Amino acid sequence: MIVVQKYGGSSVADTDRVKSVAARAAKARREGNDVVVVVSAMGKSTDQLINQAHDIAPEPPGRELDMLLTAGERISMALLAMAIHEEGHTARSFTGSQAGIITDAVHGKARIIDITPGRIQEALGGGHIVIVAGFQGVSRDSKDVTTLGRGGSDTTAVALAAALDADVCEIYTDVDGVYTADPRICPTARKQDTVSHEEMLELAASGAKVLQVRSVEYARNHRVPVHVRSSFSWADGTLVVPEEDHMEQAIVSGVAHDTGEAKVVVRGVADQPGVASRIFTDLADEAINVDMIVQNVSADGTTDISFTVPKADGNAAMRRIQALATELGFGEVVMDDDIGKVSLVGAGMKTHPGVASGMFEALAEAGVNIEMISTSTIRISVVVREADVPAAVQAVHERFGLGASDTTDAREVTS
Ligand code: ADP
Ligand code: ASP
Ligand code: MG
């Protein structure tokens, strides 16, 4: 079997953890598998590197920031290789570039466009455990090192598993699977045995950072079997499976939250064709991912447009819009980063009315004010004050009976 194992930051947080990861990889090798290990940077070191960069420059050049951040994963890969040697096995560590992870040239959120895993296959052929630095690649056009966005090691792992036709991609983290809500803020959250690609995509896109959204897209498109599990135990985790293998089709399957976005409000925009297009084309040109968009009903020929963007892109978005001030003649543009998004996800929502009203009722009872709403066929998201996020998650989770001890009929088998 070919096994890809990915270990996140907390799984390699210190040298003892690195040793225990080495023992796990060695065990998989002793069992006769070809083993490829993808590692994240140790503990919170990516955050620390980002802070150091920002101490020097408020908006560091993307090329240099990527150069800096890729160093985090290099440290863990080399230490892990040493620890595996101590376990009596041989290991070869590779940077993303050496491993053949080819990306586009967008710094900070590059997309993998090709994988040329020749060196990995050669090292596996030589009987070595292969270690690959997660979260990074290289652009063929610019020849520069890139990073894949926060949480990107998940995507490195799934993409490598696809390229190597691995039998399983194990994502080792600090929780033992995908829960019905983030167990850190929702004590009654329940671990799920399986979750479908579709649901996992919506959960990840809504902020459940246990898997990076692109890793789920990759797993779905290339049919990679993903097993999310804990590096701190041997318990089975959660399998991320195609729709047809997901037996327990719940009306709602989970609640996700995201406090990584900011709200931008453009006030007093002329209510005429082309204005929204102008604003959002400019943001797209800057590679800013706009999430929720709300346009108010106009009064006196003007309207307000509000949208959310990742906090990290907030300043760039403000700058871009301010540059349009004379052309569009709007009133003012303001940013608010004290917000959080709470989303309810479930494939069964498509056919069950009343889910939205149930969610809004639960929030009202918890005294949480809703500032924005958006929906897809299998998701309802609201923007609330950041401080209200835990209460909102718990209230919605409880309303739909998602908890470990709840037995309401919100989860039912619809085949
Ligand atoms: P790693 O460093 O291993 O990549 P992350 O911090 O990126 O770990 O992801 C794991 C974290 O995701 C957990 O500690 C948990 O707080 C959070 N999380 C959010 N939503 C969920 C969920 N639905 N199920 C499990 N964990 C979740
Ligand atoms: N080290 C990177 C981050 O903290 C990538 C990852 O952990 O997946 O986002
Ligand atoms: Mg992660």
Side-chain angles (χ1 to χ4, degrees):
M1 291 226 303
I2 303 178
V3 176
V4 174
Q5 301 185 330
K6 177 258 169 177
Y7 294 91
S10 49
S11 300
V12 291
D14 54 37
T15 45
D16 280 342
R17 293 295 313 156
V18 171
K19 288 179 194 168
S20 104
V21 164
R24 217 175 259 261
K27 177 172 182 288
R29 179 75 193 108
R30 274 197 302 279
E31 287 165 355
N33 300 300
D34 280 344
V35 182
V36 177
V37 182
V38 174
V39 279
S40 290
M42 294 171 79
K44 304 246 172 267
S45 59
T46 306
D47 291 332
Q48 286 157 3
L49 292 171
I50 292 175
N51 290 341
Q52 281 180 323
H54 285 144
D55 281 347
I56 290 176
E59 285 180 59
R63 179 184 187 278
E64 303 312 326
L65 188 59
D66 276 358
M67 200 61 117
L68 179 71
L69 297 188
T70 52
E73 271 67 12
R74 262 177 106 131
I75 292 171
S76 6
M77 77 178 192
L79 290 176
L80 180 60
M82 295 171 197
I84 289 174
H85 281 272
E86 289 299 309
E87 286 282 329
H89 292 265
T90 57
R92 292 281 180 272
S93 65
F94 297 98
T95 63
S97 163
Q98 291 175 319
I101 314 280
I102 313 295
T103 70
D104 62 21
V106 183
H107 287 295
K109 47 187 150 191
R111 270 182 179 276
I112 296 177
I113 52 177
D114 193 14
I115 297 196
T116 50
R119 293 193 71 183
I120 297 181
Q121 280 153 335
E122 210 177 295
L124 287 175
H128 306 295
I129 293 176
V130 169
I131 307 168
V132 177
F135 166 67
Q136 55 182 273
V138 64
S139 156
R140 240 178 222 145
D141 298 335
S142 68
K143 310 270 190 293
D144 283 327
V145 164
T146 55
T147 63
L148 310 180
R150 298 307 304 269
S153 300
D154 298 332
T155 305
T156 304
V158 177
L160 275 177
L164 298 168
D165 201 17
D167 296 277
V168 64
C169 180
E170 296 179 326
I171 304 285
Y172 285 98
T173 182
D174 57 359
V175 282
D176 56 4
V178 179
Y179 279 67
T180 49
D182 186 343
R184 284 180 206 286
I185 67 160
C186 188
T188 57
R190 185 172 55 81
K191 186 177 108 186
Q192 322 206 54
D193 294 332
T194 62
V195 57
S196 71
H197 286 136
E198 199 185 7
E199 287 170 336
M200 193 63 234
L201 267 180
E202 291 281 350
L203 285 171
S206 309
K209 65 177 176 153
V210 60
L211 284 177
Q212 197 198 32
V213 65
R214 282 183 187 165
S215 73
V216 188
E217 282 169 358
Y218 228 100
R220 181 193 57 189
N221 297 348
H222 299 266
R223 299 187 77 85
V224 177
V226 171
H227 184 184
V228 179
R229 54 192 307 191
S230 170
S231 68
F232 296 80
S233 84
W234 292 98
D236 279 341
T238 301
L239 296 174
V240 186
V241 296
E243 205 61 43
E244 59 272 22
D245 299 338
H246 186 52
M247 296 309 287
E248 193 186 7
Q249 179 74 277
I251 297 173
V252 295
S253 57
V255 183
H257 71 281
D258 188 352
T259 51
E261 294 192 347
K263 178 170 78 168
V264 177
V265 185
V266 194
R267 290 193 216 285
V269 187
D271 189 18
Q272 63 193 35
V275 173
S277 142
R278 191 76 184 87
I279 291 176
F280 294 110
T281 307
D282 265 37
L283 295 175
D285 286 348
E286 193 102 345
I288 295 174
N289 286 324
V290 175
D291 181 24
M292 285 167 132
I293 303 177
V294 170
Q295 178 172 331
N296 292 352
V297 176
S298 71
D300 304 325
T302 66
T303 182
D304 297 342
I305 296 181
S306 314
F307 56 87
T308 61
V309 292
K311 275 181 184 159
D313 289 335
N315 288 335
M318 290 291 284
R319 240 195 345 265
R320 242 1 235 243
I321 294 186
Q322 269 149 358
L324 292 172
T326 7
E327 183 186 333
L328 298 182
F330 51 76
E332 59 166 353
V333 49
V334 288
M335 182 163 74
D336 174 358
D337 58 12
D338 262 349
I339 59 149
K341 185 175 69 175
V342 174
S343 306
L344 180 62
V345 172
M349 250 182 226
K350 282 180 209 161
T351 47
H352 283 78
V355 177
S357 62
M359 179 173 180
F360 302 153
E361 200 176 83
L363 292 170
E365 280 164 13
V368 174
N369 186 44
I370 301 173
E371 299 182 20
M372 290 169 97
I373 300 173
S374 87
T375 59
S376 81
T377 45
I378 71 163
R379 175 186 50 78
I380 304 163
S381 300
V382 296
V383 166
V384 300
R385 285 292 93 200
E386 184 167 354
D388 284 339
V389 166
V393 169
Q394 288 159 17
V396 175
H397 192 263
E398 187 175 335
R399 172 68 177 73
F400 289 93
L402 294 166
S405 53
D406 289 323
T407 49
T408 68
D409 58 4
R411 293 188 67 85
E412 64 179 22
V413 177
T414 56
S415 98

